[in-house]
Structures are given as C-alpha cells and as structure tokens.
Amino acid sequence: MSNNDIFESLKIKYKPLFVGTEKSKLYFYSTNPSLDFLLESKKKKIFVTDQTIFNLELLKPFFNNFKKESDKSTGGTDYSVYSCDKHGLVVIPAGEKYKTMDSVLSIVKTALDFNLTRKDMFTAIGGGVLTDITAFAASIYKRGASCEFVPTTLLAMVDAAIGGKTGCDFDDYKNIVGAFFPAKALYIYPVLIQSLPEKEFISGFAEAIKTAMLFDRKCYEYIKANKDKILARNPDVLCKIITFCAKAKAKVVEKDLSEKNIRMLLNFGHTFGHALESRAGLGVLTHGECVAWGIARALKASVLLGLCSESYYNDAVETLKSFGYETSAVHPAYSDSKEILKTMHNDKKNSSSNVRLILQKEVCKNVITETTEDIILEALK
C-alpha cells in the first residue's frame, strides 16, 4: 500500500495499562482496500472476520489468499478456519448474537492451533462486534498479544474501533465482560461504507451525531445542513465527518484511556440505549438505533433536571428524527420502563444506588451526574 493513498494519519499516545498498549496509529485511505500488505508482516497473524465481510466484493481479493482448513465449533459458535502461509483466518457468523465468550474462545483456540506467541498479532476486519471480541481475545491470549483493525462499518470507524474498549455480551447484558486494550494500528477505508446495508449505515451515524453533539457545534450544524448528502452517502461529506469523529475520540481517550473522567462523556445516550438493547433482545435493534433513542431520553432527563431548555431538546430530537431514529419515550420494541430502569442499574459505569448519566445543557456543554430513579422513569413516560 502506497503512502500516497493515505489522506490523513494520526497517533494516539496512552499511559499504558499493559505492555504494548502505549499508542495507536490511525491511517485513513482514499482508495479501495488493498490489504495484502497485512500479510507481509514478519509476525504470525490471526485474522478475524464474519461471513458477511468475508463475502464482501471489495475484500474478495484479500480473502482469496486464504484456503479453507476446517469447520469447527466452540460452545454455541460454529466457525471456519482458513490459512495463508503462516497466517490463520477465523470466520464467524455475523451479528450481535455472536458477540459472546464462545466467539472469543474460538479466536483464542485458532491462535493456539497456529502457534501464535504473545509477540504475534490478532487482526480484526469488520465492525464493532469483531473489533471488540478480537481485541478481547488478544488481551487474554498468553496475558496479552497485540491487535490491529480494519474497521468496515461507519460505527467502527467513528467510534467502536478507537480507544481500546473490548469485550463481549453475557447473560443478556451488553459488553459486561471485557478489558481496555487498544489496537496498535487502525486502517480506515471510508469507501467501505458504500457497501453497508442501510440499517447498518444509519446505526453507525448515530455515533457520529453523538460525537458532534459532545465536542463540536460546527460539526453538529454541518450534519444538520447536509442531511440529504449524508443519507446519499456523499463520499466527501462522510470523509469529513469520519475524520472529525476519529480525531475527537482520539483526543478523549488519549487523556483518559480507562474511563476515569472525561471519557465517560462518550457514553452519552448509552446508559438508556444499552438497557433498551438488552431488554429488546441483543441483536433485535442495532446499537445505533438504541443510542439515538438513548440520547433523546438523556436530553429529556436534562430538561427535567433544569439543565437544558425545551428548545434545545426539541432541536436535537428533530435532528434525530430527520435521520429516521425513534425518539419517543416508550420505544415500540420494548415498553416496560421499570425493566429498563433495572437494567440501567446493572450498567458497569454505575458506582452507587443512583444511575450515572451523561446529560447536556446545550451542544458541547456536558454534565456527568448521578440521577435518581424518579427522573429516569419520568423520562421514560
């Protein structure tokens, strides 16, 4: 891959939590993905993808390098193993329902079968589910190998793949098992967004709206002014938004990798959203659909607490609606507010009997606070 194909790059530096987690390099490419350079490494690699990405036309030239070795099963996950010289490839089924410990262990098992050492590399090619479980597998393999990502979804490019949050779902709880373990490198090809199903594209864009609302009023206004171009997937508009969101998140996680303070802001909409995602049944609604609904509920709580005005709440809700997101207090997919509240109490970000929420006074004026049950239930009416 020529450096001339890179239109932007940046480096994130961290206070390392583990050996090898002190920095991430992000590369943004202007071309179609040509990933053969990933095979040229002196390190052995285990590549991880799902059946949808494996069959993606733009990535066929890369996956054609591999030959099938076997079909296997670990617990509830059936997967296929391929090889290319010293490297391995794990192909798991697609979807949130496979974001499980069984899938993580299928990656670990393949790494063992290919005799990877802790100096070798785990490489995820896919969306947030794949980057999360691959990095988690790397973090626990022989007490920590390295990982790198080729994010293929908008959600992964603007949020999920950046900053080292890893893990899997367990017992109907979203991301309840995991670790902070940043990737050494991310190779971002915005052209891959053009191949996304509409539902996945819209899901990812909710995280872009969230990031703009948190950190940049101009970007938020830019999103509102360019709705039609965004929905038409205008490449120039999307590249601008992707690079902004990636840089914004990079700045945050560089200051606070393990979410002790400022990184908590990135959970805007997520406490409500994760609860809905879990109660509706993991995989029934997309992550972005739930986050957008959660943003609307968080802003309603902000109004109830006297933090933000009705006019800002209405403007934000209309923006979310304009992209097709559900914003009503009672979501059609799940209507039991008491069960949503119960699930919110189990969110890993809470540290007391109240529920920690990210709220807003207006765009970019953010508040981290613990909120009582009565406010949350009122926001769900």
Side-chain angles (χ1 to χ4, degrees), residues 54 111 137 150 281 381:
F54 184 73
V150 181
K381 286 183 179 178

Side-chain angles (χ1 to χ4, degrees), residues 103-124:
S103 294
V104 173
L105 294 178
S106 72
I107 300 167
V108 170
K109 177 67 167 63
T110 307
L112 284 171
D113 290 344
F114 278 79
N115 299 313
L116 261 70
T117 72
R118 66 190 302 175
K119 294 182 179 179
D120 291 318
M121 182 72 72
F122 290 66
T123 306

Side-chain angles (χ1 to χ4, degrees), residues 268 272 293-308 310 313-314 317 327 329 359-360 375-376 378-381:
F268 183 41
F272 280 104
W293 177 82
I295 289 172
R297 294 306 91 221
L299 290 177
K300 184 62 176 179
S302 300
V303 172
L304 293 169
L305 288 167
L307 292 172
C308 85
E310 286 279 357
Y313 166 77
N314 290 332
V317 166
T327 61
L359 305 178
Q360 284 198 310
I375 293 295
I376 291 169
E378 188 66 24
L380 292 169
K381 286 183 179 178

Side-chain angles (χ1 to χ4, degrees), residues 127-340:
V129 168
L130 288 162
T131 59
D132 275 15
I133 63 173
T134 302
F136 186 37
S139 76
I140 61 176
Y141 183 76
K142 298 185 177 180
R143 298 194 176 96
S146 298
C147 60
E148 62 185 2
F149 302 149
V150 181
T152 60
T153 65
L154 181 56
L155 190 150
M157 291 179 194
V158 302
D159 185 76
I162 302 167
K165 278 191 177 181
T166 79
C168 61
D169 306 332
F170 179 74
D171 199 20
D172 289 332
Y173 290 104
K174 176 86 173 172
N175 295 333
I176 205 68
V177 182
F180 291 99
F181 200 80
K184 280 188 171 293
L186 289 86
Y187 308 99
I188 299 173
Y189 295 84
V191 69
L192 286 167
I193 291 171
Q194 304 299 330
S195 302
L196 289 178
E198 185 66 13
K199 190 173 180 119
E200 290 302 317
F201 173 77
I202 292 299
S203 174
F205 200 74
E207 292 283 5
I209 293 174
K210 176 206 77 175
T211 304
M213 291 178 73
L214 286 171
F215 302 119
D216 194 300
R217 182 185 295 272
K218 287 183 179 178
C219 186
Y220 179 59
E221 296 299 333
Y222 182 80
I223 286 171
K224 292 197 294 181
N226 287 277
K227 183 200 75 173
D228 291 341
K229 290 182 178 179
I230 291 165
L231 293 175
R233 307 195 199 186
N234 179 282
D236 293 335
V237 171
L238 290 177
C239 279
K240 185 172 182 177
I241 293 170
I242 289 167
T243 52
F244 160 73
C245 290
K247 287 180 179 180
K249 185 164 186 182
K251 287 180 181 179
V252 171
V253 298
E254 193 167 42
K255 294 176 182 176
D256 180 26
L257 175 62
S258 56
E259 200 171 335
K260 303 296 184 186
N261 44 73
I262 190 174
R263 186 169 183 170
M264 293 180 188
L265 295 175
L266 293 166
N267 293 309
F268 183 41
H270 282 62
T271 306
F272 280 104
H274 278 170
L276 173 64
E277 199 169 353
S278 295
R279 291 300 92 209
L282 293 173
V284 172
L285 298 171
T286 67
H287 177 68
E289 287 177 296
C290 294
V291 167
W293 177 82
I295 289 172
R297 294 306 91 221
L299 290 177
K300 184 62 176 179
S302 300
V303 172
L304 293 169
L305 288 167
L307 292 172
C308 85
S309 65
E310 286 279 357
S311 61
Y312 174 53
Y313 166 77
N314 290 332
D315 176 81
V317 166
E318 285 306 310
T319 298
L320 293 168
K321 283 183 177 179
S322 73
F323 284 94
Y325 300 113
E326 178 63 57
T327 61
S328 60
V330 179
H331 197 286
Y334 193 81
S335 60
D336 191 331
S337 59
K338 290 184 178 179
E339 283 299 310
I340 287 178

